[in-house]
Amino acid sequence: MSSTRKFFVGGNFKMNGDKKMLDVIIENLNKANCANTDVVVAPPTAYLSYVRGKLDGKVSVAAQNSYKVAKGAFTGETSPDMLVDLGINWAILGHSERRHVFGESDALIGEKIKYALERGLYVIPCIGEKLDQREGGTTLQVVSEQMASIKSNVNDWSKVVIAYEPVWAIGTGKVATPEQAQEVHLQLRKWLADNVSDAVSKSTRIIYGGSVSAGNCKELAKQPDVDGFLVGGASLKPEFSDIINARS
Ligand code: PEP
């Protein structure tokens, strides 16, 4: 663990929560020790301002998605310009549910990443293989293709945190073993060295997502190339504070 990369924990609330539930989460987050961790939470779009207004400044807020242009006839979409206007600095892009429930392609996700970065947002692009791809031995090929599409849309890697989220581990309770996570994270770091630069490979945070909990986070956090987590279900629970401090 000689890394100088600051530990990073994101919480993706997905389409969950109401004001009452969010108040409890916010109270826990405002009490949490975030000294050694960058913490970013992503409430549903409807609650972005509500959460931003009540959270301490030590916790950043992300949108779960954003569109590729500033404004226009795109019913239901939210632009990075609007997020900036609300004081929201981050966006999760290409989450597996966006890819597999809503059919977003690498090309569209790439355009969204490009535009969000242009508007000054920090982004968390998500990548990961499906179960049949893992079983078919194509994990590396799948994540490399996803990385290539991201790379062609990024010119400032200091604003990017890559989330490796194997689709078979998201919301299933079936977490990757620390060795499985480390193996892919190391390959992703190598991919960055070979395709971007050594400096970017060393400095870019690569976080793991997929059924992370208070029970499994410490072992995962010991892996040298696991720089933190993107947490779904457990980010709605008090155990999120333990995950924030998985490496402390
Ligand atoms: C996620 O939504 O990004 C996620 C990893 O979910 P969960 O932690 O519930 O598997």
Side-chain angles (χ1 to χ4, degrees):
M1 256 181 297
S2 54
S3 160
T4 52
R5 297 179 294 272
K6 190 169 180 191
F7 201 62
F8 182 104
V9 173
N12 174 18
F13 300 170
K14 312 195 191 204
M15 198 176 73
N16 292 300
D18 52 20
K19 285 194 275 185
K20 202 169 155 210
M21 181 172 163
L22 291 168
D23 284 346
V24 175
I25 295 171
I26 290 164
E27 203 187 324
N28 282 333
L29 280 169
N30 285 343
K31 282 193 292 202
N33 172 15
C34 302
N36 300 316
T37 309
D38 283 337
V39 182
V40 178
V41 293
T45 310
Y47 293 106
L48 281 168
S49 282
Y50 183 79
V51 171
R52 179 62 287 164
K54 291 195 157 205
L55 259 185
D56 281 357
K58 68 184 182 191
V59 179
S60 297
V61 177
Q64 296 173 14
N65 185 24
S66 66
Y67 200 52
K68 61 176 180 174
V69 294
K71 62 179 180 171
F74 302 103
T75 302
E77 294 295 326
T78 306
S79 76
D81 309 66
M82 295 167 181
L83 297 173
V84 170
D85 193 32
L86 294 178
I88 307 300
N89 302 325
W90 287 82
I92 297 172
L93 293 168
H95 187 274
S96 108
E97 286 142 26
R98 299 301 320 170
R99 291 175 183 270
H100 303 300
V101 180
F102 298 99
E104 290 191 6
S105 63
D106 274 340
L108 174 60
I109 294 160
E111 289 180 284
K112 290 180 173 194
I113 291 169
K114 186 169 198 275
Y115 188 65
L117 288 169
E118 267 172 35
R119 299 324 304 154
L121 291 182
Y122 292 81
V123 295
I124 307 171
C126 303
I127 60 173
E129 81 287 2
K130 294 191 272 186
L131 185 60
D132 59 323
Q133 294 167 326
R134 171 157 286 262
E135 289 174 348
T138 58
T139 297
L140 186 56
Q141 186 191 326
V142 170
V143 296
S144 297
E145 280 166 16
Q146 291 167 332
M147 286 296 285
S149 169
I150 292 166
K151 183 208 144 180
S152 56
N153 291 289
V154 171
N155 55 21
D156 180 0
W157 283 88
S158 71
K159 296 204 140 191
V160 179
V161 172
I162 297 288
Y164 167 60
E165 302 203 296
V167 179
W168 48 271
I170 299 179
T172 58
K174 202 174 163 197
V175 66
T177 64
E179 295 72 26
Q180 283 174 322
Q182 169 59 21
E183 186 187 13
V184 178
H185 283 229
L186 182 61
Q187 298 283 4
L188 291 170
R189 206 169 295 293
K190 189 171 173 320
W191 190 94
L192 285 170
D194 293 345
N195 294 280
V196 186
S197 71
D198 268 335
V200 164
S201 166
K202 288 197 177 90
S203 61
T204 302
R205 281 155 319 167
I206 305 174
I207 60 174
Y208 167 79
S211 297
V212 174
S213 67
N216 59 35
C217 65
K218 282 198 186 295
E219 285 306 309
L220 284 160
K222 282 185 190 154
Q223 302 303 311
D225 291 291
V226 174
D227 304 315
F229 302 115
L230 185 55
V231 184
S235 69
L236 302 166
K237 302 180 189 159
E239 69 183 283
F240 191 51
S241 309
D242 299 325
I243 299 172
I244 288 170
N245 287 294
R247 198 177 262 177
S248 304

